[in-house]
């Protein structure tokens, strides 16, 4: 089965990568899909986010990255995919993810969303938290891939100049 793992991935974290790795061992093919979340202001443009993900997934031969400017269900329909995978961190994620899954199901009743519980060690990790901590000088190198850590640091330095 081919599944889409959608998100903003601004930028990809080790929590995302944990979900990608686990999804890739259970599904035939995983498409990591960068979409717009209108409620978020991004740090990296789509092409940068794609290249961060490409570097992070290079050892998985059944994982690819793509982006789409529109509805997730539209992308799924165009590409003839009917399944979504999402990571669920804490209880606080549940309400938002539940609503999103129901909305997607309403828009496209053939679509199903599968949830993977985030590994305990990444349960507090989010792109927003990582960016915020890094802006205040915290070391977030254990929470994101190496190349992403370097990119966040240089972005913050550049913004502060
Ligand atoms: O990583 P995020 O920001 O939680 O991911 C949310 C995302 C990008 C998956 C979601 O905002 C999304 O699906 N955006 C595309 C538009 C869409 O299909 N929205 C859902 C129905 S309103």
């Amino acid at each position: 089965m081919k599944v889409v793992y959608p998100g903003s991935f601004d930028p990809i974290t080790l929590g995302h990568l944990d979900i990608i790795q686990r999804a890739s061992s259970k599904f035939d093919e995983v498409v990591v899909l960068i979409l717009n979340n209108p409620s978020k202001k991004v740090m990296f443009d789509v092409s940068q986010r794609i290249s961060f993900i490409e570097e992070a997934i290079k050892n998985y031969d059944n994982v690819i990255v793509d982006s789409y400017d529109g509805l997730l269900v539209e992308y799924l329909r165009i590409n003839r995919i009917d399944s979504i995978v999402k990571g669920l961190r804490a209880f606080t994620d549940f309400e938002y993810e539940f609503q999103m899954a129901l909305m997607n199901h309403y828009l496209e009743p053939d679509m199903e969303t599968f949830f993977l519980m985030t590994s305990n060690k990444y349960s507090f990790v989010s792109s927003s938290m990582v960016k915020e901590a890094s802006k205040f000088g915290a070391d977030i190198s254990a929470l994101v891939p190496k190349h992403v850590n370097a990119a966040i640091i240089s972005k913050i330095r550049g913004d502060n100049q």
Side-chain angles (χ1 to χ4, degrees):
M1 190 198 290
K2 188 171 178 174
V3 291
V4 164
Y5 175 36
S8 319
F9 302 107
D10 182 52
I12 187 167
T13 66
L14 292 186
H16 293 131
L17 213 48
D18 171 62
I19 296 294
I20 291 170
Q21 185 255 313
R22 289 163 54 208
S24 80
S25 74
K26 297 290 174 226
F27 298 101
D28 299 319
E29 201 177 336
V30 180
V31 181
V32 182
L33 182 66
I34 298 175
L35 292 162
N36 283 326
N37 181 341
S39 60
K40 286 184 181 168
K41 188 177 165 283
V42 296
M43 177 180 262
F44 297 102
D45 65 31
V46 172
S47 65
Q48 286 173 304
R49 282 180 270 161
I50 287 180
S51 74
F52 296 154
I53 295 172
E54 273 171 348
E55 174 67 21
I57 62 170
K58 64 182 181 199
N59 294 328
Y60 302 102
D61 53 14
N62 64 340
V63 182
I64 59 165
V65 59
D66 201 359
S67 65
Y68 187 68
D69 189 10
L71 283 176
L72 168 59
V73 291
E74 225 167 62
Y75 178 91
L76 291 162
R77 214 179 294 137
I78 293 166
N79 291 281
R80 297 175 183 279
I81 305 171
D82 63 9
S83 302
I84 301 162
V85 153
K86 293 224 79 179
L88 211 48
R89 279 170 309 202
F91 196 63
T92 43
D93 271 353
F94 181 77
E95 202 176 332
Y96 170 75
E97 293 297 347
F98 183 57
Q99 196 178 3
M100 188 73 87
L102 291 182
M103 186 63 177
N104 286 327
H105 194 73
Y106 166 78
L107 294 171
E108 196 55 68
D110 286 342
M111 306 295 169
E112 286 298 347
T113 304
F114 296 88
F115 289 100
L116 291 179
M117 303 305 294
T118 304
S119 300
N120 209 16
K121 65 177 179 170
Y122 298 124
S123 58
F124 63 96
V125 179
S126 71
S127 301
S128 322
M129 285 278 185
V130 158
K131 287 180 288 187
E132 182 173 330
S134 194
K135 271 182 194 159
F136 287 103
D139 176 11
I140 46 103
S141 58
L143 308 179
V144 293
K146 238 185 191 148
H147 61 287
V148 171
N149 189 37
I152 294 175
I153 291 169
S154 87
K155 182 82 186 177
I156 290 167
R157 274 199 200 125
D159 285 352
N160 290 338
Q161 270 165 15

